Amino acid sequence: MKLFATVYTAMPLEELVQSICSAQWSCEKISDTEYSLQGDGVQLTVEGGGDVLMFGEVKLELSEIDLWVAGFAKLSMSYNIDLHADEARLIRRYQQ
């Protein structure tokens, strides 16, 4: 599935990435404004500052993604996250 997200937060990018990166994933700093999150079935890019874009591929069960996104509730941010099976078919939308 393809994941496309916009995250709105005042948190520094590094702090945001540390907060959303699952313990099973590796989080690598590419530049001051870009991180790569990778794990079994996950390849995401997080970039920006203030308004942060997150995009990439996830090959996880929807229940795993639901739990991951549920953990965002404790963070000081709002977001729009869309999961697509292909370019046209929206599978799930998360908003806060």
Side-chain angles (χ1 to χ4, degrees):
M1 290 178 280
K2 303 237 186 246
L3 182 143
F4 300 98
T6 306
V7 179
Y8 307 96
T9 183
M11 294 170 60
L13 185 59
E14 182 174 358
E15 183 181 334
L16 172 67
V17 169
Q18 290 174 358
S19 298
I20 64 173
C21 189
S22 173
Q24 295 83 19
W25 304 348
S26 67
C27 301
E28 179 184 348
K29 183 176 184 176
I30 305 302
S31 72
D32 287 343
T33 59
E34 184 177 356
Y35 284 79
S36 174
L37 284 60
Q38 296 186 12
D40 191 25
V42 175
Q43 186 170 5
L44 298 173
T45 298
V46 180
E47 64 182 27
D51 292 353
V52 176
L53 299 177
M54 182 168 44
F55 55 91
E57 300 265 343
V58 288
K59 296 176 184 168
L60 302 171
E61 296 293 324
L62 285 174
S63 59
E64 291 179 81
I65 298 169
D66 291 343
L67 287 173
W68 175 61
V69 173
F72 296 177
K74 64 182 181 223
L75 302 175
S76 177
M77 65 182 206
S78 59
Y79 54 82
N80 296 305
I81 302 171
D82 290 341
L83 290 174
H84 293 266
D86 53 40
E87 300 303 321
R89 192 167 61 113
L90 178 67
I91 293 178
R92 180 108 8 126
R93 175 170 284 158
Y94 304 92
Q95 294 180 317
Q96 175 175 305

